[in-house]
Amino acid sequence: MIKEYLNVILTDGDEGNVILFKNILQNLRIQVKIKSFCNIKDMMDHLNAKDAIIPEILFLNFNISQKNCISYLSELKANDKFDHMTAIIYSDHLSSEDEEEIFVNGANVLMKKPDNYKDLKKNVTEIMTVAWQYHTSGLNKNNFIMKV
């Protein structure tokens, strides 16, 4: 049975980013339930809790913890419990080496965060639309790779 909404976790230490993303996500045609964290440790504690609801979508700011972000992403992708979760890593700036490492360690989507609201809204809407299509059609999310 397909739910009529997506559970989304947003992890970003910048409160301004959290507000921007929440505003965009709450105004989509796709219904979402958002849970936000200001650091990766709290997010991981939540996800690893026995009764945790595993989100369909995870937005994670690469700069929240740099190299730790990659190791946590790798840890999530190694656990079958998170197979149905789409991991979206975003950042203002990434080197080509960082981009490669992010995809190698299991991210589905890499987004260069635009410096204006209009473009951020466009990118997030595009990502969520594709993620919704994967969710509702039962496609294999392991084949979902996107760079925005």
Short mmCIF file of all heavy atoms in Angstrom, two decimals, residues 37-77:
data_model
loop_
_atom_site.label_atom_id
_atom_site.label_comp_id
_atom_site.label_asym_id
_atom_site.label_seq_id
_atom_site.Cartn_x
_atom_site.Cartn_y
_atom_site.Cartn_z
N PHE A 37 16.64 17.93 12.25
CA PHE A 37 17.71 17.79 13.25
C PHE A 37 18.79 18.81 12.94
O PHE A 37 19.03 19.12 11.77
CB PHE A 37 18.31 16.37 13.21
CG PHE A 37 17.32 15.31 13.58
CD1 PHE A 37 16.58 14.66 12.60
CD2 PHE A 37 17.11 14.96 14.90
CE1 PHE A 37 15.65 13.70 12.93
CE2 PHE A 37 16.19 13.99 15.25
CZ PHE A 37 15.45 13.36 14.25
N CYS A 38 19.44 19.29 13.98
CA CYS A 38 20.50 20.28 13.78
C CYS A 38 21.89 19.64 13.75
O CYS A 38 22.87 20.32 13.48
CB CYS A 38 20.43 21.38 14.83
SG CYS A 38 20.67 20.80 16.51
N ASN A 39 21.97 18.33 14.00
CA ASN A 39 23.26 17.65 13.90
C ASN A 39 23.05 16.18 13.54
O ASN A 39 21.97 15.61 13.74
CB ASN A 39 24.08 17.79 15.19
CG ASN A 39 23.43 17.14 16.37
OD1 ASN A 39 23.30 15.91 16.42
ND2 ASN A 39 23.00 17.94 17.34
N ILE A 40 24.10 15.59 13.01
CA ILE A 40 24.02 14.21 12.52
C ILE A 40 23.86 13.21 13.67
O ILE A 40 23.15 12.22 13.53
CB ILE A 40 25.25 13.87 11.66
CG1 ILE A 40 25.21 14.67 10.36
CG2 ILE A 40 25.29 12.39 11.33
CD1 ILE A 40 26.39 14.45 9.45
N LYS A 41 24.49 13.46 14.78
CA LYS A 41 24.41 12.52 15.90
C LYS A 41 22.96 12.33 16.34
O LYS A 41 22.50 11.20 16.51
CB LYS A 41 25.26 12.98 17.08
CG LYS A 41 25.23 11.97 18.23
CD LYS A 41 25.92 12.48 19.46
CE LYS A 41 25.85 11.53 20.62
NZ LYS A 41 24.64 10.77 20.83
N ASP A 42 22.21 13.43 16.50
CA ASP A 42 20.81 13.31 16.90
C ASP A 42 19.99 12.59 15.83
O ASP A 42 19.11 11.79 16.15
CB ASP A 42 20.21 14.70 17.17
CG ASP A 42 20.75 15.33 18.44
OD1 ASP A 42 21.39 14.62 19.25
OD2 ASP A 42 20.54 16.55 18.63
N MET A 43 20.29 12.89 14.56
CA MET A 43 19.59 12.22 13.47
C MET A 43 19.84 10.71 13.53
O MET A 43 18.91 9.91 13.43
CB MET A 43 20.04 12.76 12.12
CG MET A 43 19.42 12.06 10.93
SD MET A 43 20.31 12.32 9.40
CE MET A 43 21.75 11.28 9.61
N MET A 44 21.10 10.33 13.70
CA MET A 44 21.45 8.91 13.74
C MET A 44 20.83 8.22 14.96
O MET A 44 20.34 7.09 14.84
CB MET A 44 22.97 8.72 13.74
CG MET A 44 23.63 9.13 12.43
SD MET A 44 23.08 8.17 10.99
CE MET A 44 23.84 6.59 11.33
N ASP A 45 20.83 8.89 16.11
CA ASP A 45 20.19 8.32 17.30
C ASP A 45 18.71 8.07 17.02
O ASP A 45 18.17 7.02 17.39
CB ASP A 45 20.34 9.26 18.50
CG ASP A 45 21.76 9.29 19.04
OD1 ASP A 45 22.59 8.43 18.66
OD2 ASP A 45 22.06 10.21 19.84
N HIS A 46 18.06 9.02 16.37
CA HIS A 46 16.64 8.87 16.03
C HIS A 46 16.43 7.69 15.07
O HIS A 46 15.56 6.85 15.29
CB HIS A 46 16.10 10.16 15.41
CG HIS A 46 14.75 10.01 14.81
ND1 HIS A 46 13.60 9.97 15.57
CD2 HIS A 46 14.35 9.86 13.52
CE1 HIS A 46 12.56 9.80 14.77
NE2 HIS A 46 12.98 9.73 13.53
N LEU A 47 17.21 7.65 14.00
CA LEU A 47 17.04 6.60 12.99
C LEU A 47 17.36 5.21 13.53
O LEU A 47 16.76 4.22 13.09
CB LEU A 47 17.91 6.89 11.77
CG LEU A 47 17.46 8.06 10.89
CD1 LEU A 47 18.49 8.35 9.81
CD2 LEU A 47 16.09 7.79 10.29
N ASN A 48 18.28 5.13 14.46
CA ASN A 48 18.67 3.83 15.00
C ASN A 48 17.81 3.39 16.17
O ASN A 48 17.98 2.28 16.68
CB ASN A 48 20.15 3.84 15.40
CG ASN A 48 21.05 3.80 14.19
OD1 ASN A 48 20.81 3.07 13.24
ND2 ASN A 48 22.09 4.64 14.20
N ALA A 49 16.87 4.23 16.59
CA ALA A 49 15.96 3.84 17.66
C ALA A 49 15.09 2.68 17.19
O ALA A 49 14.75 2.58 16.01
CB ALA A 49 15.08 5.03 18.07
N LYS A 50 14.77 1.81 18.11
CA LYS A 50 14.02 0.59 17.78
C LYS A 50 12.68 0.91 17.11
O LYS A 50 12.26 0.23 16.18
CB LYS A 50 13.80 -0.23 19.05
CG LYS A 50 13.18 -1.57 18.81
CD LYS A 50 13.07 -2.36 20.09
CE LYS A 50 12.46 -3.72 19.80
NZ LYS A 50 12.40 -4.54 20.99
N ASP A 51 11.99 1.95 17.57
CA ASP A 51 10.65 2.26 17.06
C ASP A 51 10.66 3.41 16.04
O ASP A 51 9.62 4.00 15.77
CB ASP A 51 9.72 2.60 18.23
CG ASP A 51 10.21 3.80 19.04
OD1 ASP A 51 11.39 4.20 18.87
OD2 ASP A 51 9.42 4.33 19.83
N ALA A 52 11.80 3.70 15.46
CA ALA A 52 11.91 4.82 14.52
C ALA A 52 11.11 4.57 13.25
O ALA A 52 11.09 3.46 12.72
CB ALA A 52 13.36 5.07 14.17
N ILE A 53 10.47 5.62 12.78
CA ILE A 53 9.83 5.59 11.46
C ILE A 53 10.91 6.00 10.46
O ILE A 53 11.45 7.11 10.55
CB ILE A 53 8.63 6.56 11.40
CG1 ILE A 53 7.54 6.09 12.36
CG2 ILE A 53 8.12 6.68 9.97
CD1 ILE A 53 6.40 7.06 12.51
N ILE A 54 11.24 5.10 9.55
CA ILE A 54 12.29 5.37 8.57
C ILE A 54 11.70 6.25 7.47
O ILE A 54 10.71 5.87 6.85
CB ILE A 54 12.87 4.06 7.99
CG1 ILE A 54 13.34 3.14 9.11
CG2 ILE A 54 13.99 4.37 7.00
CD1 ILE A 54 14.35 3.73 10.05
N PRO A 55 12.31 7.39 7.23
CA PRO A 55 11.76 8.29 6.22
C PRO A 55 12.03 7.78 4.80
O PRO A 55 12.96 7.01 4.57
CB PRO A 55 12.53 9.59 6.46
CG PRO A 55 13.86 9.12 6.96
CD PRO A 55 13.54 7.92 7.82
N GLU A 56 11.20 8.22 3.89
CA GLU A 56 11.44 7.92 2.49
C GLU A 56 12.53 8.83 1.93
O GLU A 56 13.25 8.46 1.02
CB GLU A 56 10.15 8.10 1.66
CG GLU A 56 9.10 7.04 1.89
CD GLU A 56 8.29 7.23 3.17
OE1 GLU A 56 8.16 8.39 3.65
OE2 GLU A 56 7.80 6.23 3.71
N ILE A 57 12.65 10.03 2.50
CA ILE A 57 13.58 11.04 2.01
C ILE A 57 14.44 11.57 3.16
O ILE A 57 13.92 11.89 4.22
CB ILE A 57 12.83 12.25 1.40
CG1 ILE A 57 11.80 11.81 0.36
CG2 ILE A 57 13.81 13.28 0.85
CD1 ILE A 57 12.37 11.33 -0.94
N LEU A 58 15.73 11.68 2.90
CA LEU A 58 16.66 12.29 3.85
C LEU A 58 17.41 13.41 3.14
O LEU A 58 18.09 13.17 2.15
CB LEU A 58 17.67 11.26 4.37
CG LEU A 58 18.87 11.82 5.14
CD1 LEU A 58 18.42 12.44 6.46
CD2 LEU A 58 19.91 10.73 5.38
N PHE A 59 17.24 14.63 3.62
CA PHE A 59 18.04 15.77 3.15
C PHE A 59 19.13 15.99 4.18
O PHE A 59 18.85 16.13 5.37
CB PHE A 59 17.19 17.05 3.07
CG PHE A 59 16.34 17.16 1.84
CD1 PHE A 59 15.03 16.71 1.85
CD2 PHE A 59 16.84 17.72 0.68
CE1 PHE A 59 14.23 16.82 0.73
CE2 PHE A 59 16.05 17.84 -0.45
CZ PHE A 59 14.74 17.39 -0.43
N LEU A 60 20.38 16.02 3.73
CA LEU A 60 21.51 16.15 4.63
C LEU A 60 22.49 17.17 4.08
O LEU A 60 22.97 17.03 2.95
CB LEU A 60 22.19 14.79 4.81
CG LEU A 60 23.42 14.70 5.71
CD1 LEU A 60 23.09 15.15 7.13
CD2 LEU A 60 23.95 13.27 5.72
N ASN A 61 22.77 18.20 4.87
CA ASN A 61 23.74 19.22 4.48
C ASN A 61 25.14 18.63 4.62
O ASN A 61 25.55 18.24 5.71
CB ASN A 61 23.59 20.47 5.34
CG ASN A 61 24.48 21.61 4.90
OD1 ASN A 61 25.50 21.42 4.24
ND2 ASN A 61 24.10 22.82 5.26
N PHE A 62 25.86 18.57 3.52
CA PHE A 62 27.21 18.01 3.51
C PHE A 62 28.12 18.74 4.49
O PHE A 62 28.97 18.15 5.13
CB PHE A 62 27.80 18.08 2.10
CG PHE A 62 29.21 17.57 1.99
CD1 PHE A 62 29.46 16.21 2.02
CD2 PHE A 62 30.27 18.44 1.85
CE1 PHE A 62 30.76 15.73 1.92
CE2 PHE A 62 31.57 17.97 1.75
CZ PHE A 62 31.81 16.62 1.78
N ASN A 63 27.95 20.04 4.61
CA ASN A 63 28.85 20.87 5.43
C ASN A 63 28.55 20.80 6.92
O ASN A 63 29.26 21.40 7.71
CB ASN A 63 28.79 22.32 4.95
CG ASN A 63 29.27 22.43 3.53
OD1 ASN A 63 30.26 21.84 3.14
ND2 ASN A 63 28.52 23.16 2.72
N ILE A 64 27.54 20.07 7.30
CA ILE A 64 27.20 19.98 8.72
C ILE A 64 28.32 19.31 9.50
O ILE A 64 28.54 19.58 10.66
CB ILE A 64 25.84 19.27 8.94
CG1 ILE A 64 25.32 19.54 10.34
CG2 ILE A 64 25.94 17.80 8.66
CD1 ILE A 64 23.89 19.11 10.55
N SER A 65 29.05 18.42 8.80
CA SER A 65 30.08 17.68 9.50
C SER A 65 31.16 17.16 8.56
O SER A 65 31.97 16.35 8.94
CB SER A 65 29.39 16.55 10.26
OG SER A 65 30.23 15.51 10.56
N GLN A 66 31.17 17.62 7.34
CA GLN A 66 32.10 17.27 6.26
C GLN A 66 32.39 15.78 6.21
O GLN A 66 31.53 15.01 5.86
CB GLN A 66 33.36 18.12 6.36
CG GLN A 66 33.03 19.56 6.08
CD GLN A 66 33.95 20.17 5.07
OE1 GLN A 66 35.03 19.69 4.82
NE2 GLN A 66 33.51 21.25 4.47
N LYS A 67 33.59 15.35 6.52
CA LYS A 67 33.94 13.94 6.33
C LYS A 67 33.06 13.01 7.15
O LYS A 67 32.78 11.90 6.74
CB LYS A 67 35.42 13.69 6.66
CG LYS A 67 36.35 14.33 5.65
CD LYS A 67 36.07 13.82 4.26
CE LYS A 67 36.89 14.56 3.23
NZ LYS A 67 36.55 14.23 1.87
N ASN A 68 32.59 13.47 8.30
CA ASN A 68 31.67 12.63 9.06
C ASN A 68 30.37 12.39 8.31
O ASN A 68 29.76 11.35 8.44
CB ASN A 68 31.38 13.25 10.43
CG ASN A 68 32.55 13.11 11.37
OD1 ASN A 68 33.37 12.21 11.22
ND2 ASN A 68 32.64 14.00 12.33
N CYS A 69 29.97 13.35 7.51
CA CYS A 69 28.76 13.21 6.69
C CYS A 69 28.89 11.98 5.80
O CYS A 69 27.97 11.18 5.70
CB CYS A 69 28.54 14.46 5.86
SG CYS A 69 27.19 14.35 4.69
N ILE A 70 30.04 11.81 5.18
CA ILE A 70 30.28 10.68 4.29
C ILE A 70 30.25 9.36 5.07
O ILE A 70 29.63 8.39 4.63
CB ILE A 70 31.64 10.82 3.56
CG1 ILE A 70 31.65 12.06 2.66
CG2 ILE A 70 31.97 9.57 2.77
CD1 ILE A 70 30.68 12.01 1.51
N SER A 71 30.88 9.33 6.22
CA SER A 71 30.90 8.08 6.99
C SER A 71 29.49 7.72 7.48
O SER A 71 29.12 6.55 7.50
CB SER A 71 31.89 8.15 8.13
OG SER A 71 31.53 9.12 9.08
N TYR A 72 28.71 8.71 7.89
CA TYR A 72 27.34 8.43 8.32
C TYR A 72 26.48 7.96 7.14
O TYR A 72 25.67 7.06 7.29
CB TYR A 72 26.70 9.66 8.97
CG TYR A 72 27.20 9.93 10.37
CD1 TYR A 72 27.92 11.07 10.68
CD2 TYR A 72 26.95 9.02 11.40
CE1 TYR A 72 28.36 11.32 11.97
CE2 TYR A 72 27.40 9.25 12.69
CZ TYR A 72 28.10 10.41 12.97
OH TYR A 72 28.55 10.63 14.23
N LEU A 73 26.67 8.59 6.00
CA LEU A 73 25.93 8.17 4.80
C LEU A 73 26.26 6.72 4.47
O LEU A 73 25.37 5.91 4.20
CB LEU A 73 26.29 9.08 3.62
CG LEU A 73 25.68 8.72 2.27
CD1 LEU A 73 24.17 8.78 2.33
CD2 LEU A 73 26.22 9.64 1.20
N SER A 74 27.53 6.39 4.53
CA SER A 74 27.98 5.02 4.26
C SER A 74 27.37 4.04 5.27
O SER A 74 26.92 2.95 4.91
CB SER A 74 29.50 4.98 4.30
OG SER A 74 29.97 3.72 3.95
N GLU A 75 27.31 4.45 6.52
CA GLU A 75 26.71 3.62 7.57
C GLU A 75 25.23 3.37 7.30
O GLU A 75 24.74 2.24 7.43
CB GLU A 75 26.89 4.30 8.93
CG GLU A 75 26.33 3.54 10.10
CD GLU A 75 26.48 4.30 11.42
OE1 GLU A 75 27.43 5.09 11.57
OE2 GLU A 75 25.61 4.09 12.30
N LEU A 76 24.52 4.40 6.89
CA LEU A 76 23.10 4.26 6.58
C LEU A 76 22.89 3.31 5.40
O LEU A 76 22.02 2.44 5.44
CB LEU A 76 22.48 5.62 6.26
CG LEU A 76 22.28 6.58 7.42
CD1 LEU A 76 21.86 7.95 6.92
CD2 LEU A 76 21.26 6.03 8.41
N LYS A 77 23.67 3.49 4.36
CA LYS A 77 23.49 2.68 3.16
C LYS A 77 23.91 1.22 3.37
O LYS A 77 23.46 0.34 2.66
CB LYS A 77 24.26 3.30 1.98
CG LYS A 77 23.60 4.57 1.49
CD LYS A 77 22.17 4.31 1.07
CE LYS A 77 21.45 5.53 0.59
NZ LYS A 77 20.17 5.26 -0.02
#
